[in-house]
Amino acid sequence: PRRCGTPGQAAPAGLSQSPQTGVVQHGAMNVFRFLGDASHLAAIILLIWKIWKTRSCAGISLNSQILFAVVYICRYLDLVLAFVSVYNTVMKLFFITSSCATVYLMLFKFRPTYNKASDLIRADYLVAPCILLALLINYEFSFVEIMWTFSIYLEAIAIFPQLYMVQTTGEAETITSHYLFALGSYRGLYILNWIYRYWFENHLDLISIFAGIVQTVLYCDFFYLYITRVLQGEKMKLPA
């Protein structure tokens, strides 16, 4: 799901504008985007199911979950400005509510199980540089556009506290590993989506592509361990 403009406005990044009507049109669905969205949904469902099933948020970074909640809230401000489609609206609402629900579960309901001592990368340390970058490099200097751009930059590194937590503890539960793999796969599939859109729709979103590559690179070590260990039936353990 992406933000949408209104008739008469220049098309925001990631959208196209009809030269005849001036109506901003949402990017067409393709198999890579659909699979990316499905992988993203699976990741969030796995995370919430893990927390609720085990009655514990052990091994989960609260800082990463707070960052993801900030990402979705800032990215989908356009919910109150324009309607794109039922699919688009439902997905945006799901990401906002599920991320906020996860933060609630970790902060209140299952807080005693949260391992704060291992969650060492503070969220505010990552927010500040992303705000600065969004102010400097964006497609349009307006509030909604800056918030969208900020969310793209922040999402690229929002998983870093979680990956660092796994590095610190030296291991991750299998269900947590599945969650991280699904989340990383979502971004990898979206890179293929951007390639597809450039090739068939002549659309190029350099900000999203740059951020997506950064995010995927962060997952590289994890992907290798997931494929060589978790998929072989072993628990995710980092080399000593």
Side-chain angles (χ1 to χ4, degrees):
R2 297 290 300 274
R3 70 210 193 294
C4 178
T6 55
Q9 291 182 328
L15 302 174
S16 59
Q17 185 174 31
S18 168
Q20 290 79 23
T21 64
V23 176
V24 177
Q25 300 171 329
H26 190 67
M29 177 65 73
N30 61 69
V31 65
F32 301 115
R33 181 184 165 195
F34 177 78
L35 291 176
D37 286 350
S39 182
H40 198 179
L41 283 172
I44 294 174
I45 292 170
L46 276 172
L47 176 63
I48 295 177
W49 180 82
K50 181 267 180 197
I51 293 175
W52 194 260
K53 179 76 172 180
T54 63
R55 317 296 288 181
S56 169
C57 54
I60 304 299
S61 167
L62 175 60
N63 287 311
S64 274
Q65 298 309 314
I66 290 174
L67 291 174
F68 282 124
V70 172
V71 164
Y72 302 133
I73 291 170
C74 291
R75 182 172 303 172
Y76 300 140
L77 293 174
D78 66 322
L79 273 171
V80 299
L81 301 176
F83 175 79
V84 177
S85 67
V86 172
Y87 173 86
N88 185 274
T89 299
V90 169
M91 292 288 278
K92 289 177 178 180
L93 289 174
F94 175 80
F95 290 137
I96 292 173
T97 55
S98 61
S99 61
C100 290
T102 301
V103 172
Y104 167 79
L105 291 175
M106 296 188 68
L107 275 178
F108 300 103
K109 193 168 185 65
F110 303 120
R111 186 177 182 85
T113 65
Y114 165 55
N115 187 5
K116 184 178 181 179
S118 298
D119 197 6
L120 301 175
I121 306 298
R122 287 176 48 177
D124 52 336
Y125 289 168
L126 302 180
V127 168
C130 291
I131 291 177
L132 179 60
L133 191 59
L135 290 171
L136 295 174
I137 304 176
N138 54 72
Y139 291 122
E140 177 186 313
F141 202 83
S142 65
F143 178 73
V144 173
E145 181 70 25
I146 294 298
M147 288 296 98
W148 177 85
T149 307
F150 161 69
S151 77
I152 295 296
Y153 294 143
L154 185 60
E155 186 181 23
I157 57 175
I159 197 61
F160 183 61
Q162 178 65 65
L163 294 175
Y164 190 80
M165 189 176 191
V166 172
Q167 180 73 37
T168 301
T169 58
E171 62 181 15
E173 295 179 17
T174 299
I175 190 66
T176 304
S177 300
H178 293 330
Y179 155 70
L180 289 171
F181 182 77
L183 196 61
S185 297
Y186 137 70
R187 184 47 65 187
L189 287 163
Y190 255 71
I191 291 178
L192 296 177
N193 163 62
W194 296 321
I195 294 172
Y196 175 94
R197 294 194 63 193
Y198 175 72
W199 188 262
F200 291 101
E201 302 175 18
N202 196 31
H203 166 75
L204 183 64
D205 182 354
L206 290 176
I207 288 177
S208 292
I209 291 172
F210 168 76
I213 291 173
V214 170
Q215 186 174 356
T216 304
V217 168
L218 287 177
Y219 278 98
C220 284
D221 284 346
F222 172 82
F223 282 155
Y224 173 77
L225 290 173
Y226 182 87
I227 293 171
T228 58
R229 299 196 177 187
V230 178
L231 292 185
Q232 303 302 318
E234 302 178 20
K235 186 176 182 179
M236 169 73 76
K237 287 189 176 182
L238 277 66

